Amino acid sequence: MNEVLFQKEEMIEKQLKARGIKDPRVLEAMMEVPREEFIPKALVEHAYKDTPLPIDEEQTISQPYVVGLAAEILNIREDDRVLDVGTGSGYAAAVMSKLGKEVYTIERHKTLAEAAKKRFDQLGYDNIHVLHGDGTKGWPEHAPFDAINIAAGAPRIPEFLKKQLAIGGRLIIPGGSEFRTQRLVLATKMNGEFKERDLGSVQFVPLIGAGGWRNRKEKSVSPKKEKKSVIELIEAVAEPFNNPESADLSPLLERIGDARIVLIGEATHGTSEFYQLRELITRELIKKKGFNIVSLEADWPDVAHLDRFVRDTNVSPPDEEPFIKFPTWMWNNGEVLRFVKWLKDYNENKSEPSQKTGIYGLDFYSMFASVKAIIDYLEDINPSLAETARNRYGCLTPYENNPASYGAAAMSDEYKKCEKDVTHMLYKILANRVEAAEKNGARYLDALQNARLVANSEEYYRNMYLGAQSSWNLRDNHMFGTLMSLMNHRGPDSKAVVWAHNSHVGDASATEMGARGEHNIGQLAKEDFEEKAFNIGFGTYHGTVAAAHNWGDKMSVMNVQPSPKESFEHLMHQVKHDNFLLPLHKKGHEQLTEELEKSRLERAIGVIYRPKTEIQSHYFQASLSNQFDEYIWFDETRAINPLPQRKKEEGVPATYPFGL
Ligand code: SAM
């Protein structure tokens, strides 16, 4: 099978069918239209990915799923006349032209309208008519329309379009805020009245025109002048420092106040300065504010090795060496080692176990190490339950070397049983809770956490097959759930630090992740703990980073590209200080908060770095001051110091498929 055909079929199966798009006419139309012809040449390899892509005029071609969803919901029949507002590349119009009789499409950018027209002519779409103009006014000469697709986010349904919709006609619009999440709404015209149905959150570029948003660029002050004033606002608040060791952290500690959860991020998984300063902040939180939990975006059994070392617990993690799976450098590095040694020394001076600070893993990519740990634990306390565990977890065994492939198998009836088996084991262990916890708190917590991990990770791999959004949420739910059970376990005085990527600790609802329906630990912590949760993000402009080119590849030290001018990184780069702490909500500096609320690009480098497709692969829209309480800036950074590997890398990529 040729590569494009294969990618198309995968798109149909995983992005459309698996998410409930069933109409065979829609699936056929999506199969027929060559998306690769509608995007810039440089992005062709991404043509069938589950994402919108940039096109000219800073606009986007819609995500295949959104086009498929709109086409199905609009229920376009063979004789229908369709109005498409916001031609963009023309992809959605092309799909709809396969379903209806005539498609009328309007685009406000002349270059895009002309390019789309040329494309339709070349590809032989003779039932699509293109108009350059303001689509919020519709195309009255060809009204009424049986279906109207509005492909840009608007405050409300434009009045002209309401009038041009036929009775019984369907209209789809992403409604709501200009830059953040919109709700996709289906409005059906019933004898002059509109019946609306909410179809979930989406993110679209704004609809600009008489019935949409005003054109900010045309009306606002010149970008040059505006940028300068934002820089001055930043400089008035920034707390500069030379290097991590010399940073004065007392003002930050004051701002953290009596928060019970401090989430500390990183803009990459391989930058030394982020790790160093994060470690120094954590030491202060432990010494001065009594934080007793340090939790990492790493697997529970791996970090159990570190916890045993720093607190001298009686938990015996599985025999397997910790941190030997890809990406080894993320935790197996000199910066983390320095902290772990410090924490051991700190704990040694504490006489009571309850005064010692523990270190724990929040992540769940260790399904099989966790199964082993549960069985070992049960062998000691309840051998007959150990036998049950061996049987129940048996259904996962064939996937030990490639858990990701479990997702596909789990779609078959045979494997439905697995889901029940792993939850059953979790209940069994929970049922032993009181007795076991009294006898042996730390070991019981370890076993229980491993059983939760297996149950959540089974669900994760099953869902991963169905689409990235739900599996991302399952992972962050698991991490937050683990954090909550740790805090409960340590009692009412517990205070926790979280070390994870910015994309997990910054409030997802302030970024385009929210528009995709994704949430994260930062958002959940803010929702539950409000001002008692404090989150810190990091950023850098250029330098070097430790990352891999592809899943499972060896670590390389790569150059971090300077950031584009639409980004927060570019803004911070213009500030006169190289390194600084930046409180984002300082009293008396509300103007800065407002300026940094405005959506810009933000960079996220995970364990994979692809400088060649940097904008598509590593940037997303965010509202910085809604995302974080504090931002820490290092203009130039260098790669982390990995420790020598103890064993050959094995197993699937640990953070697959997100890499963050
Ligand atoms: N469905 C398109 C595709 O598949 O390529 C993508 C549409 S893109 C998300 C939204 C488009 O709406 C942009 O090209 C933008 O220029 C256009 N747009 C925004 N406001 C408009 C208006 N008032 N009239 C016409 N087009 C508009």
Side-chain angles (χ1 to χ4, degrees):
M1 197 190 302
N2 82 32
E3 183 59 22
V4 171
L5 195 60
F6 175 74
Q7 291 176 4
K8 270 187 177 174
E9 287 193 342
E10 272 222 329
M11 170 190 83
I12 299 284
E13 288 300 319
K14 295 192 177 170
Q15 299 173 34
L16 306 180
K17 281 192 185 169
R19 291 190 186 132
I21 295 179
K22 292 192 214 70
D23 185 338
R25 291 182 68 236
V26 171
L27 297 172
E28 203 180 310
M30 296 285 292
M31 191 67 196
E32 278 179 24
V33 177
R35 194 167 187 254
E36 66 278 16
E37 299 290 345
F38 291 79
I39 56 176
K41 290 244 165 345
L43 299 179
V44 160
E45 63 164 309
H46 302 283
Y48 292 95
K49 297 242 167 93
D50 189 12
T51 175
L53 293 168
I55 56 175
D56 285 349
E57 302 291 356
E58 297 181 10
Q59 302 302 319
T60 51
I61 171 173
S62 308
Q63 180 188 8
Y65 169 66
V66 169
V67 174
L69 178 70
E72 182 168 79
I73 298 284
L74 284 172
N75 190 18
I76 302 169
R77 291 171 286 235
E78 275 170 21
D79 277 340
D80 280 356
R81 297 151 68 80
V82 181
L83 177 68
D84 174 50
V85 176
T87 316
S89 68
Y91 176 64
V95 170
M96 291 179 190
S97 78
K98 299 267 173 202
L99 301 166
K101 190 168 179 203
E102 303 291 337
V103 174
Y104 297 87
T105 180
I106 312 175
E107 170 57 53
R108 69 180 278 269
H109 287 289
K110 194 162 182 221
T111 45
L112 293 181
E114 283 173 354
K117 190 167 177 340
K118 197 162 150 208
R119 201 169 280 136
F120 295 142
D121 289 345
Q122 279 166 355
L123 296 172
Y125 291 92
D126 52 13
N127 61 342
I128 308 181
H129 315 275
V130 185
L131 176 70
H132 165 231
D134 178 1
T136 66
K137 295 182 179 162
W139 200 337
E141 295 84 340
H142 298 286
F145 300 101
D146 303 293
I148 300 183
N149 177 47
I150 303 175
R156 65 196 72 80
I157 307 174
E159 287 304 318
F160 294 111
L161 300 186
K162 280 185 174 175
K163 289 199 182 106
Q164 292 174 30
L165 189 64
I167 303 288
R170 291 83 53 204
L171 174 150
I172 275 200
I173 184 164
S177 119
E178 188 172 3
F179 288 110
R180 302 260 307 269
T181 314
Q182 299 122 358
R183 307 293 302 179
L184 192 64
V185 172
L186 167 72
T188 311
K189 190 165 172 178
M190 330 275 286
N191 267 334
E193 253 185 38
F194 280 84
K195 205 173 110 202
E196 293 193 0
R197 199 175 117 207
D198 188 321
L199 303 170
S201 51
V202 282
Q203 193 178 40
F204 278 84
V205 293
L207 183 77
I208 311 262
W213 301 102
R214 72 184 168 87
N215 188 354
R216 285 179 171 252
K217 272 190 192 146
E218 279 158 21
K219 294 206 175 161
S220 59
V221 285
S222 92
K224 219 171 169 187
K225 199 166 162 214
E226 187 191 42
K227 230 184 262 163
K228 188 162 176 270
S229 70
V230 184
I231 293 162
E232 281 167 1
L233 292 169
I234 296 174
E235 285 174 352
V237 173
E239 295 166 6
F241 58 86
N242 288 330
N243 54 55
E245 299 286 345
S246 70
D248 177 8
L249 298 178
S250 11
L252 170 62
L253 288 197
E254 231 168 80
R255 292 191 283 276
I256 290 174
D258 58 357
R260 283 190 64 201
I261 301 184
V262 176
L263 304 112
I264 317 183
E266 54 188 8
T268 82
H269 278 321
T271 298
S272 181
E273 287 81 357
F274 300 160
Y275 279 68
Q276 287 177 53
L277 193 49
R278 181 163 69 176
E279 189 230 312
L280 293 166
I281 297 169
T282 307
R283 288 191 200 190
E284 294 298 290
L285 291 171
I286 295 170
K287 285 189 300 191
K288 306 217 169 107
K289 289 187 184 273
F291 276 68
N292 50 11
I293 294 167
V294 178
S295 55
L296 320 183
E297 182 196 337
D299 291 332
W300 177 272
D302 281 344
V303 190
H305 285 268
L306 302 184
D307 191 46
R308 184 176 52 169
F309 175 70
V310 301
R311 287 197 302 147
D312 214 7
T313 65
N314 55 2
V315 174
S316 343
D319 294 339
E320 199 180 58
E321 290 266 332
F323 309 116
I324 55 166
K325 275 186 305 183
F326 178 91
T328 53
W329 66 93
M330 192 170 144
W331 297 113
N332 192 26
N333 59 55
E335 289 79 353
V336 172
L337 182 65
R338 189 173 76 151
F339 174 72
V340 170
K341 284 184 174 161
W342 174 86
L343 189 55
K344 183 173 179 60
D345 288 348
Y346 174 85
N347 280 341
E348 265 169 8
N349 295 324
K350 304 281 168 200
S351 48
E352 288 297 312
S354 63
Q355 296 171 323
K356 297 186 181 192
T357 296
I359 182 161
Y360 310 90
L362 298 176
D363 224 334
F364 66 10
Y365 289 100
S366 57
M367 186 145 82
F368 298 95
S370 293
V371 166
K372 285 191 194 98
I374 297 165
I375 293 173
D376 287 354
Y377 164 76
L378 292 175
E379 286 289 5
D380 286 354
I381 63 140
N382 186 340
S384 84
L385 198 53
E387 194 47 39
T388 312
R390 238 182 239 109
N391 291 332
R392 296 264 175 184
Y393 289 136
C395 62
L396 298 172
T397 314
Y399 301 95
E400 177 149 5
N401 290 326
N402 185 5
S405 67
Y406 170 74
M411 301 298 284
S412 72
D413 281 349
E414 196 192 332
Y415 281 93
K416 296 253 162 70
K417 188 176 146 289
C418 232
E419 181 187 350
K420 286 202 192 101
D421 281 346
V422 294
T423 355
H424 176 90
M425 268 326 293
L426 174 59
Y427 291 142
K428 280 260 177 209
I429 292 172
L430 275 167
N432 278 308
R433 169 174 36 197
V434 181
E435 198 195 343
E438 271 169 15
K439 275 197 213 141
N440 191 338
R443 276 205 81 190
Y444 175 69
L445 176 75
D446 184 66
L448 175 61
Q449 225 14 81
N450 277 313
R452 279 205 179 108
L453 187 153
V454 178
N456 289 341
S457 150
E458 186 275 340
E459 191 183 359
Y460 168 82
Y461 285 118
R462 199 161 18 91
N463 277 270
M464 197 169 91
Y465 187 72
L466 295 177
Q469 175 209 318
S470 61
S471 50
W472 173 279
N473 286 350
L474 285 171
R475 182 175 170 211
D476 275 58
N477 286 349
H478 173 81
M479 292 206 265
F480 188 67
T482 306
L483 181 65
M484 290 304 95
S485 63
L486 284 170
M487 291 182 78
N488 287 338
H489 179 75
R490 296 296 297 246
D493 295 331
S494 59
K495 286 181 163 191
V497 184
V498 177
W499 288 5
H501 197 278
N502 281 350
S503 53
H504 292 292
V505 309
D507 186 337
S509 67
T511 73
E512 67 175 65
M513 289 168 64
R516 294 199 295 264
E518 290 169 359
H519 57 245
N520 63 6
I521 329 176
Q523 181 179 343
L524 297 173
K526 285 278 178 191
E527 281 168 9
D528 280 15
F529 287 78
E530 297 176 348
E531 74 291 344
K532 295 270 157 92
F534 189 96
N535 57 6
I536 304 173
F538 278 89
T540 184
Y541 183 71
H542 64 163
T544 58
V545 66
H549 291 283
N550 283 303
W551 295 107
D553 279 3
K554 288 258 168 298
M555 187 207 97
S556 310
V557 172
M558 297 184 222
N559 287 325
V560 177
Q561 311 273 338
S563 298
K565 62 178 187 316
E566 303 79 9
S567 65
F568 284 109
E569 287 81 0
H570 188 265
L571 182 68
M572 301 295 163
H573 176 61
Q574 294 170 74
V575 172
K576 65 183 177 203
H577 312 295
D578 282 344
N579 310 324
F580 53 88
L581 298 163
L582 187 68
L584 299 174
H585 301 269
K586 194 167 177 177
K587 275 219 170 75
H589 294 266
E590 287 74 16
Q591 209 189 331
L592 174 66
T593 309
E594 275 168 33
E595 283 297 337
L596 297 181
E597 233 168 53
K598 292 182 186 162
S599 179
R600 285 175 199 253
L601 290 176
E602 184 183 306
R603 176 160 53 196
I605 299 176
V607 294
I608 308 295
Y609 183 38
R610 297 204 169 113
K612 281 197 190 133
T613 53
E614 169 130 48
I615 302 282
Q616 298 76 43
S617 310
H618 297 290
Y619 282 90
F620 59 96
Q621 289 286 338
S623 156
L624 196 71
S625 55
N626 286 324
Q627 192 186 3
F628 297 113
D629 293 302
E630 185 96 11
Y631 190 61
I632 302 183
W633 179 251
F634 286 94
D635 198 66
E636 184 170 359
T637 46
R638 62 196 168 79
I640 202 104
N641 297 297
L643 294 174
Q645 248 164 277
R646 294 175 305 273
K647 262 197 198 172
K648 216 171 134 275
E649 283 184 10
E650 51 191 36
V652 285
T655 55
Y656 182 84
F658 304 112
L660 294 171

